[in-house]
Amino acid sequence: MRLVIARCSVDYAGRLSAHLPLATRLLIHKSDGSLLVHADALSYKPLNWMSPPCTLVIDEPDDDQREAGVLELWRVTHAKTADLLVVSIHEVLHDSAHELGVDPGLQKDGVEAHLQKLLAEHIELLGEGFSLVRREYMTAIGPVDILARDASGASVAVEIKRRGGIDGVEQLTRYLELMNRDPLLAPVAGVFAAQEITPQARTLAEDRGIRCLLLDYDAMRGMDDGVPRLF
């Protein structure tokens, strides 16, 4: 990754045209070819940019451009659209290159897989006497997150979401319709579990006889701060 702080002007030509007058900016040129133009504002959002696939070529300015103070021209051309981003460099204040290596990617905390694992380990959160049958119980249309049994031995299908919406309730409804056709499982009750459940999803679930369960991720991990909560 190359980081350049420079006094520059920027012109974009393509489906839309844009111009940034002369000012001090941060230019980020990444190994994938992309170029981002940042100001000391707008948080993470660049003022202008070119996404890959694109190619950066550094040209010498012509006589008129040199007379206007341009030291070099960065021309970034998109391979598919031929859009062109031209950065006219007037002064370089900082120029450095860094090898970052392969990034492992964002690992989100509290994703549905984590919630599923934790609920399987704390199956008693479903109710007294509940026991785990298995995680990822496969049906003809996909896996149910958790199959459990209640204190009476009846089957319970659990669908887990970070934020529970109507789509999640519909998904669990389809699972229940299939599972209740299996005489070895029926009758199968449903539990819709999430860190947050929208009012619309709760109303739909309750109308269909599906129980809603709010999950406290920190408490399930043993990180509860001990502060009393109403909900």
Side-chain angles (χ1 to χ4, degrees):
M1 179 183 292
R2 185 181 179 188
L3 305 175
V4 176
I5 298 176
R7 292 183 65 249
C8 61
S9 61
V10 183
D11 292 279
Y12 193 100
R15 289 162 291 184
L16 295 174
S17 296
H19 173 72
L20 293 171
L22 186 63
T24 301
R25 300 184 176 94
L26 168 64
L27 308 175
I28 301 177
H29 184 226
K30 297 187 177 182
S31 59
D32 62 5
S34 60
L35 181 72
L36 298 91
V37 181
H38 281 274
D40 195 11
L42 300 180
S43 185
Y44 64 90
K45 187 176 181 181
L47 297 170
N48 215 326
W49 68 93
M50 184 69 77
S51 301
C54 56
T55 303
L56 169 64
V57 176
I58 299 179
D59 289 336
E60 291 291 326
D62 60 28
D63 291 340
D64 291 340
Q65 292 166 333
R66 195 182 305 277
E67 187 174 340
V70 178
L71 300 179
E72 59 185 27
L73 294 171
W74 291 17
R75 300 183 186 273
V76 189
T77 306
H78 196 276
K80 295 182 178 180
T81 65
D83 284 11
L84 178 65
L85 182 69
V86 179
V87 182
S88 301
I89 305 291
H90 287 248
E91 180 184 6
V92 176
L93 305 175
H94 172 87
D95 190 345
S96 63
H98 307 271
E99 179 59 52
L100 302 186
V102 178
D103 192 275
L106 179 66
Q107 297 180 350
K108 295 183 179 179
D109 197 16
V111 296
E112 290 167 15
H114 296 162
L115 292 170
Q116 181 193 116
K117 180 176 182 294
L118 286 169
L119 185 56
E121 293 171 353
H122 300 281
I123 201 69
E124 69 278 359
L125 292 175
L126 293 175
E128 186 178 352
F130 272 72
S131 60
L132 175 69
V133 176
R134 65 166 299 168
R135 295 167 55 190
E136 300 286 336
Y137 180 84
M138 186 57 64
T139 74
I141 57 173
V144 174
D145 288 326
I146 286 179
L147 177 63
R149 293 195 184 279
D150 64 16
S152 68
S155 300
V156 180
V158 185
E159 182 63 25
I160 301 171
K161 301 292 183 186
R162 291 186 68 199
R163 185 174 189 273
I166 288 177
D167 288 348
V169 178
E170 294 286 3
Q171 182 181 1
L172 178 55
T173 300
R174 292 191 294 271
Y175 289 148
L176 291 172
E177 288 176 353
L178 278 175
M179 296 172 76
N180 273 304
R181 297 176 192 172
D182 185 342
L184 297 178
L185 293 176
V188 184
V191 175
F192 188 53
Q195 290 179 277
E196 177 187 355
I197 299 175
T198 66
Q200 297 89 341
R202 182 179 292 276
T203 298
L204 181 62
E206 292 173 351
D207 182 68
R208 295 180 177 180
I210 295 171
R211 180 160 63 95
C212 291
L213 174 66
L214 285 178
L215 301 177
D216 187 329
Y217 181 59
D218 287 339
M220 292 166 71
R221 292 191 299 165
M223 297 179 62
D224 195 357
D225 55 15
V227 177
R229 293 178 174 85
L230 294 176
F231 303 100

